[in-house]
Amino acid sequence: MLTALDGTFGDRADAVTIAGRSCSYEELLGAARAVAADIAGAPAVAVTATASLETVAAVVGGLLAGVPVVPVPPDAGPAERDHILRDSGAHEITVDFARRSDRTGTAPDPADPALILYTSGTTGPPKGVVLTAAALAADLDALAAAWDWTAADTLVHGLPLFHVHGLVLGVLGALRTGSRLLHTGRPTPAGYAEAALAGGTLLFGVPTVWTRIARDPAAAAALAGARLLVSGSAPLPTPVSLDLERLTGHRPVERYGMTETLITVSGRAGTAPRPGTVGTPLPGIRTRIAAEPGSEIGELQLTGPTLFAGYLNNPEATAASYTADGWFRTGDIAAIDPADGVHRIVGRASIDMIKSGGYRIGAGEVENALLDHPRVQEAAVLGVPDADLGQRIVAFVVAEGVTGDELTEFVATRLAVHKRPREVRFRATLPRNAMGKPQKKLLLSDSDELPHPHPGQGPSQGPAPARD
Ligand code: MCA
Ligand code: AMP
């Protein structure tokens, strides 16, 4: 699975650098084997997934031992953390990166679970997405082919190590292709600039990262020597893509995916990316649009070897995510250009799935946290268009005797930092339909629309609006 650790591509003292600390493949393998020896036979293990060599050793150790790893967001609030640990049944481990072992166990079955990643649905607590080693390998090989990604690359990013983007693509991808990894600790423009000047060739970011780099011309200029910039996890606004091209000479390649499916659709290296589109299906992936007659947009559905093995302990939710004829329902609304098969993501089917800074946040989870506050009678949470984050979380509440800041802090005691509302708006009542369901769109005002930064750039080319 992790070809680089076999010595296939040689070794170097700084094969992997995370937040300023480096190690060779040999050191990483020794540390990961020590983890594997400790956890062999466990049903699952959890690790607090800080951006660190320890997290990498834990995940690699799990892969070597055939024990699924549950990366827990370091800032997950107590409620979220308890849920993840209870639902997964994983026991928590801490890693001492200085330990080494040369133990080699039997190679695990690639069809067995390798990672369990917790991700939000529209309602309820996060669900555990079970990913097999075979699915991870299939996806990384398809991406390596799409991006001409090889051991000659130096991969740069600063994304969190508890989601597909930062962990699967950003760590396991480097260890499978043999590309050197330079993780910047946090995804700041200065960090990316420094890493690009230190030889970075392939740069990964969520749109918020690219937006911030495009607003920092000096940092952007440092990216000129890179080979390929890749954007994903949320829609990249067209003006950002064009600004980056002007500042760096590169238009980012966009790719589309989900925790449940891994990356399934992507632009290709060597082909000029068309802003606002996410490319074509990766090898082995089939896609289709479930559209009403006469319409070319509808739900994107897909099949292929990168799909998850189901939601942990939740066969009903797993079954509900597939059509009767076995295609995965992404919940994303898309269109496919009949001329060249290029896919365009138009929005989400549900207004209750929010993407903020590339993080997926279920409105229901934040609403439930707010409703736990004794002063809150009603709550409706929305993703409002935001020039930096794509969407920002805004909570509409019916409550007395409590401030917005107090409610934001209250949510932070339960859920991860990025799930906190950025803004709380108080209302006397919430508009509801005849069934009693909040009519969320009625809560938005005209000022919640994004201004169009470039003439001729309509909103359809900016971040995708949430749809009901
Ligand atoms: C954040 N802060 C807040 C709030 N939210 N303060 C008050 N109220 C709030 N509601 C704090 C933060 O803790 C931080 O404090 C400071 O404000 C700045 O926050 P922010 O603007 O959010 O900046 P940031 O913390 O730098 O976050 C932006 C980010 C981040 C770095 C782009 O959103 C991020 O890492 N996104 C990546 C998400 C990702 O990897 N998604 C992949 C999943 P302080 O500075 O003190 O800490 S998608 C996936 O895996 C699929 C398959 C795919 O397609 O890729
Ligand atoms: P997550 O499971 O956190 O990866 O979130 C998956 C969701 O992110 C998808 O269902 C899409 O709504 C969104 N997404 C990922 N990549 C893109 C992209 N390139 N363009 C638009 N939306 C994206």
Side-chain angles (χ1 to χ4, degrees), residues 60-459:
V60 175
L63 281 167
L64 295 176
V67 174
V69 177
V70 183
V72 181
D75 70 342
E80 198 173 344
R81 190 179 189 87
D82 286 355
H83 164 73
I84 292 174
L85 294 177
R86 206 169 335 105
D87 187 62
S88 65
H91 78 260
E92 271 189 284
I93 57 165
T94 49
V95 173
D96 175 359
F97 196 80
R99 286 178 62 215
R100 298 282 181 270
S101 166
D102 55 9
R103 166 200 179 275
T104 50
T106 46
D109 185 342
D112 285 343
L115 290 175
I116 304 172
L117 302 184
Y118 276 79
T119 192
S120 299
T122 50
T123 56
K127 298 192 284 279
V129 173
V130 180
L131 296 165
T132 66
L136 301 176
D139 203 48
L140 294 174
D141 291 347
L143 290 174
W147 301 337
D148 296 340
W149 182 7
T150 70
D153 279 306
T154 292
L155 174 63
V156 172
H157 73 95
L159 298 169
L161 301 190
F162 44 86
H163 284 310
V164 165
H165 199 160
L167 181 60
V168 177
L169 277 58
V171 173
L172 302 182
L175 298 179
R176 190 163 174 86
T177 57
S179 57
R180 184 161 69 102
L181 171 59
L182 252 177
H183 187 286
T184 58
R186 282 177 72 98
T188 58
Y192 276 48
E194 192 185 326
L197 293 173
T201 60
L202 178 60
L203 278 62
F204 292 171
V206 296
T208 300
V209 171
W210 295 123
T211 301
R212 292 176 184 183
I213 290 174
R215 289 188 185 145
D216 184 339
L223 274 43
R227 183 177 69 79
L228 195 69
L229 317 185
V230 183
S231 179
S233 306
L236 181 69
T238 295
V240 174
S241 184
L242 299 178
D243 283 348
L244 282 171
E245 182 174 32
R246 188 170 45 78
L247 294 164
T248 71
H250 304 284
R251 237 183 233 187
V253 164
E254 274 206 79
R255 92 293 178 292
Y256 160 86
M258 291 183 76
T259 308
E260 290 88 335
T261 64
L262 301 176
I263 309 308
T264 49
V265 180
S266 180
R268 303 293 193 272
T271 316
R274 203 190 310 156
T277 65
V278 295
T280 54
L282 292 172
I285 304 288
R286 288 193 299 149
T287 60
R288 72 182 186 190
I289 301 288
E292 299 290 327
S295 169
E296 59 196 31
I297 71 163
E299 185 184 40
L300 179 65
Q301 301 178 347
L302 45 89
T303 65
T306 64
L307 262 61
F308 70 146
Y311 295 113
L312 190 70
N313 307 325
N314 204 337
E316 298 81 14
T318 306
S321 65
Y322 283 90
T323 62
D325 60 345
W327 290 63
F328 180 79
R329 307 186 50 172
T330 65
D332 287 307
I333 307 299
I336 302 176
D337 189 326
D340 54 11
V342 168
H343 289 43
R344 186 164 56 90
I345 308 298
V346 180
R348 285 290 310 178
S350 171
I351 200 170
D352 289 328
M353 190 74 90
I354 300 167
K355 267 272 158 161
S356 188
Y359 283 117
R360 170 170 153 183
I361 300 139
E365 201 185 348
V366 185
E367 286 161 4
N368 288 342
L370 287 163
L371 287 168
D372 279 345
H373 192 285
R375 299 265 177 192
V376 175
Q377 293 153 35
E378 298 179 55
V381 165
L382 274 170
V384 169
D386 185 278
D388 178 46
L389 297 167
Q391 291 184 306
R392 70 175 181 281
I393 304 177
V394 177
F396 294 82
V397 297
V398 179
E400 273 170 25
V402 64
T403 66
D405 285 350
E406 283 164 0
L407 288 179
T408 300
E409 281 312 308
F410 182 75
V411 172
T413 62
R414 287 157 189 256
L415 308 176
V417 166
H418 61 267
K419 295 181 180 173
R420 276 182 287 176
R422 300 267 163 170
E423 213 185 306
V424 179
R425 299 187 194 169
F426 290 87
R427 292 286 184 274
T429 55
L430 297 185
R432 292 183 184 270
N433 65 15
M435 309 291 290
K437 197 173 169 262
Q439 291 176 294
K440 293 194 175 182
K441 278 187 181 160
L442 299 181
L443 289 163
L444 292 174
S445 60
D446 290 347
S447 61
D448 288 327
E449 287 301 318
L450 271 186
H452 304 157
H454 288 214
Q457 302 289 342

